[in-house]
Amino acid sequence: MRKIIEKEFALNYLNKYGSQMTVGNGYLGVRGALEEEYPEQVRGMYVAGIYNRPSGSVSSELVNLPDVTRFQVMLDGEVFSMQAGKVHAYERFLDMDMGELVRKITWESSAGKKYQLNFHRFISKAVKHVIAAKVEITPLNDRMKVKVKTGIDAQQTNFGTQQLAESSLRIFDEELMVGEYETIESKQRITVATKVNEKGIFTAKNRQLMTEVEQEVAVNETFTLEKISMVTSSLDEVDMEFPKVSYADLKTASETVWADFWEHAGVRVESMNEFDQFALDFACYHLEIMTPKDDFRCSVGAKGLTGEGYKGHIFWDTEIFIMPFFLYNQPGIAKQLLQYRYLHLKEAKEKAVKNGYNGALYPWESAFSGEEETPEFAAINIRTGTRQKVASAISEHHLVADIAYAVCEYESATGDAQFMADCGAELLLETAEFWISRATNRNGRLEILDVIGPDEYTEHIDNNTYTNYMAHYNVKKALEWNKDNKTFVAQAEKFLENLYLPVENEAGLIPQDDTFLQKDWINLDKYKAAQGTQGILLDYSRQEVNELQILKQADLVMLFYLFPKMFAPEVVKKNLDYYEKRTIHDSSLSKAIHAIVENQTGNRAQAYQFFQEACLIDLGSEPHSSDDGLHAASLGAIWLAVVFGFAGIDTSAELLEIAPNLPDAWQSVAFEFVWQGETIAVKIAPNTLQLSKNTKSVLELVIYGEKQQLTDTLTINLEQKDVSL
Ligand code: BGC
């Protein structure tokens, strides 16, 4: 069973497990908060696309919705809490096979009475609106009087900001509790309906619609309370009927859908380190529950639906780090993520105009409206009272080309001509027009000035190599898809001919930007040891960091990852070594990408170490690192590291290429990969590479540089290959 396990209850891990143990289905996400209250515990339920902009703020926030997971349990007059009495046995796990969260506690009250309490919860994968919960309590040494209070609690806020107005509270048929709410600014309507399977006394007070069930239970008998809830919103097109089935029935239906997911999207690794398989399962589970399945008005936030970090905003994380998992498993979902961007072409064009450019300038951070959502300022310096401006909205423009890159990636993996005709070609055209207007003619060549590249520790620089190459690719691809547009063709050809593309200097180094290589270097060991914490900013101001050779995350190395054939292997190696020494990996988007490029240069040991470190970003032992949600892009990147790193898949040419190079610790890896409508089962063991598919059509591909044909099964003996570079 794929399981995330919490062995003991510890208050300072409460919110980290709360994020890790989120249950969901891409429509709904419910944090793994415990049923009873603890002062620091962050409860959270989110619906994809439900944002609200609080008054006085420039950014929308993913709304923390009224809660249905809280159960106040009174046992013989004492409130159940693991901070009181004595916990004799404790076990909590999230069964990722079917997304069920389970907790089992043997508890002794301060009066010396013992009870067994079991809590269960899941979100249906079959009916996306449904949350099911079950509480079982057994008195172990005496009869008990149990009281359980639960319902719909609209006292939930986004860390104190109330986003919802209560519109109506009702009880139907003496059993169904229904609360209706409206987001204050965005005017989205939310309906939460819930019912328990025992009669209770209803109350409605202080934004809480509750029922309280009371029972006397004999020793060793079990009191069971099932609670089924349904969440709908004004984004839903059809009215839903409240399910009339039990927890067990809902679970069976959901399990079947989960089983199908794991059968096709799961990755199996035989490794000397069991943790590798666990981390991969964790990544696949969360990627699946963070991504909307049937609504292109929504995309994936930087924390998925696991918390309120980054206010639920959507970044380049989605197209570059998360989308590939879907593109090569469930391409329809990748398409939907691109349709989200197409839907907001209008807002992107408006942003371009506002900033004095042509074409489409996508917002650095986006939410439901498609407008720019990046906060104007970062956290306040409480000593000086000043706030650092966030420059990304005005200068971090690579996202435009990242989206275009994802369109091309989708097209080459699927050959979906209809999508290109409906959205893709236009998206490429508009993004290319942005770049054409964004470039400046300086001494006869086109340059892209005053940008922020992926490395956000270096701001306001000219000719960020990543950005320039990505812009070039964007325009080149737009040209291929818009050959009939004469005006554009002329402009695009001129741009492609004149855009400055930095290359390596005499020392073999490609400059990250115009001034990077002239800056001073400092020893980063201390900061690398505490990567992810941005500790450098405690010792140096942003301005000082900007003037040093310090990278927050992969920048040029990102380019090497996205275009594995663009630079000569020795150039990649030299620059990888140079830039890695200067990279703190303070962003979670960095490590796994470095792992991939290390593997490509033959540095397998380093690659594996980076991969393992990337797996610890959300699964490491630091207590608070993921409190406000998981790092969605880094979960995507764990999958990328296996498929594009160790398994050596390369989709950058017309034919699919594969040249695996597994870590020494791995015996085998197996996964499915969807390419041009064919599902290819890939199995790599130390001495063999086996590819198979269920159709008889001939698929040409390149294996370790040699053209091969795959009909149904192809087995390559790797002993005869020299896989070391
Ligand atoms: C990173 C960005 C990323 C964002 C959201 C930032 O810290 O520098 O690259 O898009 O987090 O994950």
Side-chain angles (χ1 to χ4, degrees):
M1 194 196 267
R2 301 172 178 93
K3 262 186 180 180
I4 308 169
I5 303 171
E6 181 191 40
K7 292 205 175 83
E8 62 183 309
F9 167 67
L11 270 183
N12 63 342
Y13 283 97
L14 203 56
N15 289 324
K16 181 162 182 159
Y17 278 116
S19 301
Q20 287 180 5
M21 295 197 175
T22 296
V23 292
N25 56 19
Y27 170 84
L28 260 174
V30 170
R31 283 174 61 80
L34 303 178
E35 283 70 12
E36 66 279 9
E37 281 299 85
Y38 296 95
E40 301 299 320
Q41 173 164 265
V42 180
R43 231 169 245 296
M45 174 167 90
Y46 314 98
V47 165
I50 300 293
Y51 291 86
N52 183 62
R53 189 171 299 182
S55 75
S57 170
V58 295
S59 306
S60 305
E61 299 180 4
L62 184 66
V63 177
N64 195 341
L65 296 168
D67 169 71
V68 291
T69 60
R70 185 175 169 200
F71 288 77
Q72 191 193 63
V73 177
M74 284 264 259
L75 297 170
D76 298 303
E78 198 169 326
V79 175
F80 163 68
S81 163
M82 291 185 289
Q83 285 183 299
K86 197 168 170 199
V87 176
H88 288 279
Y90 179 84
E91 186 193 7
R92 184 157 78 125
F93 63 88
L94 175 72
D95 167 6
M96 294 184 279
D97 281 344
M98 68 118 337
E100 186 184 36
L101 181 58
V102 178
R103 180 166 57 130
K104 297 180 178 170
I105 312 129
T106 314
W107 184 70
E108 185 177 326
S109 70
S110 52
K113 288 185 134 197
K114 264 195 182 178
Y115 310 87
Q116 177 65 37
L117 297 99
N118 298 343
F119 297 94
H120 298 250
R121 162 200 314 170
F122 70 93
I123 287 185
S124 173
K125 200 164 168 52
V127 190
K128 66 181 186 178
H129 306 272
V130 173
I131 307 165
K134 185 168 70 169
V135 180
E136 295 162 332
I137 308 171
T138 313
L140 299 176
N141 56 5
D142 198 356
R143 53 187 292 106
M144 74 167 173
K145 185 167 176 185
V146 59
K147 273 198 208 174
V148 177
K149 191 171 175 184
T150 191
I152 306 168
D153 180 1
Q155 286 185 10
Q156 286 293 108
T157 63
N158 286 68
F159 293 105
T161 304
Q162 182 53 264
Q163 318 269 10
L164 294 164
E166 200 177 54
S167 330
S168 109
L169 296 178
R170 293 281 307 272
I171 307 290
F172 293 96
D173 306 326
E174 278 309 296
E175 57 171 12
L176 186 66
M177 295 172 261
V178 180
E180 290 183 339
Y181 310 89
E182 191 172 71
T183 54
I184 292 163
E185 168 271 341
S186 59
K187 303 283 175 217
Q188 298 284 8
R189 278 171 289 107
I190 316 294
T191 304
V192 183
T194 192
K195 100 181 171 192
V196 295
N197 64 341
E198 295 286 349
K199 285 234 164 319
I201 296 173
F202 295 105
T203 49
K205 203 176 166 192
N206 301 335
R207 296 175 69 98
Q208 294 177 321
L209 178 59
M210 294 283 157
T211 182
E212 188 170 51
V213 175
E214 187 174 332
Q215 272 184 28
E216 298 260 349
V217 181
V219 65
N220 289 328
E221 298 271 296
T222 299
F223 162 80
T224 304
L225 192 69
E226 289 193 5
K227 179 180 184 184
I228 310 297
S229 311
M230 198 175 89
V231 182
T232 52
S233 85
S234 42
L235 294 182
D236 300 319
E237 265 124 41
V238 283
D239 282 345
M240 285 292 303
E241 216 177 288
F242 196 86
K244 292 193 178 66
V245 285
S246 68
Y247 186 95
D249 292 340
L250 286 166
K251 187 173 156 180
T252 310
S254 183
E255 251 164 357
T256 315
V257 192
W258 269 111
D260 186 59
F261 165 76
W262 284 114
E263 192 189 328
H264 297 291
V267 179
R268 300 308 304 164
V269 177
E270 276 180 278
S271 167
M272 274 154 57
N273 302 310
E274 274 174 30
F275 183 77
D276 294 345
Q277 179 67 63
F278 170 63
L280 263 164
D281 290 341
F282 181 79
C284 294
Y285 167 80
H286 276 289
L287 287 163
E288 178 65 5
I289 68 161
M290 71 173 70
T291 307
K293 300 295 175 310
D294 56 4
D295 190 346
F296 62 80
R297 294 167 300 173
C298 308
S299 183
V300 188
K303 306 282 180 185
L305 297 171
T306 64
E308 287 153 48
Y310 287 119
K311 302 180 194 298
H313 294 172
I314 299 139
F315 296 69
W316 68 311
D317 304 32
T318 306
E319 285 75 14
I320 298 295
F321 295 82
I322 296 164
M323 194 192 90
F325 172 75
F326 293 98
L327 177 54
Y328 302 112
N329 276 308
Q330 310 170 58
I333 294 173
K335 173 173 159 182
Q336 186 192 288
L337 294 172
L338 296 173
Q339 284 170 325
Y340 164 81
R341 294 297 189 179
Y342 183 74
L343 178 70
H344 294 302
L345 202 49
K346 177 173 158 276
E347 290 77 16
K349 285 163 85 168
E350 282 165 7
K351 183 177 170 189
V353 170
K354 226 187 263 170
N355 287 268
Y357 306 118
N358 299 335
L361 170 54
Y362 277 95
W364 174 244
E365 296 182 29
S366 165
F368 188 73
S369 70
E371 287 160 15
E372 182 59 75
E373 301 282 359
T374 308
E376 228 178 314
F377 295 100
I380 193 163
N381 177 328
I382 50 176
R383 303 252 138 42
T384 61
T386 53
R387 285 175 185 269
Q388 166 84 31
K389 264 217 168 233
V390 177
S392 297
I394 34 170
S395 310
E396 196 156 358
H397 290 162
H398 64 83
L399 162 92
V400 172
D402 301 331
I403 294 171
Y405 179 93
V407 168
C408 301
E409 214 185 5
Y410 173 77
E411 194 282 325
S412 67
T414 62
D416 185 345
Q418 192 62 50
F419 171 78
M420 291 310 285
D422 294 345
C423 323
E426 188 182 349
L427 223 150
L428 290 179
L429 176 72
E430 294 293 348
T431 47
E433 287 193 328
F434 163 73
W435 289 117
I436 294 170
S437 71
R438 181 66 177 78
T440 306
N441 191 327
R442 238 184 8 183
N443 307 322
R445 75 176 180 191
L446 290 177
E447 303 192 4
I448 302 180
L449 308 178
D450 195 9
V451 292
I452 303 176
D455 165 28
E456 293 180 350
Y457 282 170
T458 315
E459 293 185 349
H460 302 301
I461 34 101
D462 299 336
N463 296 312
N464 169 251
T465 298
Y466 176 88
T467 306
N468 285 25
Y469 275 87
M470 291 297 285
H472 191 271
Y473 178 79
N474 189 159
V475 175
K476 192 172 94 188
K477 295 306 270 186
L479 189 60
E480 281 172 26
W481 286 92
N482 293 278
K483 289 210 177 88
D484 299 339
N485 183 336
K486 295 275 181 286
T487 337
F488 173 70
V489 169
Q491 288 173 339
E493 280 173 350
K494 202 164 137 226
F495 176 90
L496 293 173
E497 216 168 283
N498 293 300
L499 181 69
Y500 166 48
L501 294 176
V503 289
E504 68 270 23
N505 60 19
E506 308 83 71
L509 295 176
I510 304 174
Q512 178 169 305
D513 57 64
D514 279 358
T515 50
F516 188 86
L517 294 178
Q518 284 96 60
K519 292 176 178 172
D520 283 339
W521 179 83
I522 59 162
N523 186 315
L524 293 177
D525 291 351
K526 171 180 162 193
Y527 307 105
K528 273 172 163 287
Q531 56 194 237
T533 62
Q534 309 205 353
I536 187 95
L537 298 177
L538 300 177
D539 293 348
Y540 294 84
S541 69
R542 288 294 297 226
Q543 285 80 356
E544 284 167 326
V545 170
N546 207 27
E547 295 315 315
L548 292 164
Q549 289 196 0
I550 301 177
L551 280 76
K552 180 182 181 187
Q553 66 202 88
D555 190 294
L556 188 62
V557 174
M558 266 320 291
L559 192 65
F560 296 157
Y561 157 64
L562 291 177
F563 296 100
K565 291 193 178 57
M566 193 176 267
F567 301 93
E570 57 286 0
V571 174
V572 172
K573 190 160 179 41
K574 169 123 206 165
N575 283 277
L576 175 65
D577 292 347
Y578 183 86
Y579 283 100
E580 204 288 323
K581 286 195 185 68
R582 289 154 178 81
T583 305
I584 302 181
H585 302 291
D586 264 344
S587 158
S588 66
L589 280 59
S590 195
K591 261 284 153 74
I593 300 299
H594 271 259
I596 297 173
V597 182
E598 290 286 358
N599 216 56
Q600 281 162 0
T601 64
N603 199 355
R604 284 188 306 138
Q606 182 67 81
Y608 184 53
Q609 189 190 323
F610 282 168
F611 167 77
Q612 289 183 302
E613 288 169 9
C615 292
L616 292 176
I617 289 170
D618 284 308
L619 291 169
S621 56
E622 317 73 50
H624 295 292
S625 56
S626 307
D627 282 5
D628 63 357
L630 301 178
H631 301 79
S634 106
L635 297 168
I638 290 172
W639 184 87
L640 296 176
V642 173
V643 172
F644 296 103
F646 304 132
I649 289 199
D650 180 350
T651 57
S652 65
E654 208 174 310
L655 297 183
L656 182 67
E657 299 185 25
I658 177 161
N661 210 356
L662 300 191
D664 286 342
W666 287 15
Q667 280 292 305
S668 70
V669 59
F671 56 88
E672 285 187 1
F673 193 84
V674 178
W675 178 255
Q676 299 285 345
E678 301 276 4
T679 302
I680 306 168
V682 180
K683 181 154 170 71
I684 305 156
N687 298 325
T688 49
L689 163 65
Q690 196 184 73
L691 303 175
S692 46
K693 59 182 180 60
N694 285 334
T695 63
K696 294 269 177 245
S697 61
V698 178
L699 186 72
E700 284 217 315
L701 31 78
V702 177
I703 301 176
Y704 289 113
E706 275 173 38
K707 238 192 215 177
Q708 306 269 1
Q709 292 195 332
L710 169 66
T711 35
D712 40 14
T713 300
L714 184 66
T715 307
I716 308 275
N717 187 341
L718 300 185
E719 270 170 326
Q720 291 144 20
K721 306 262 165 208
D722 179 13
V723 294
S724 59
L725 292 177

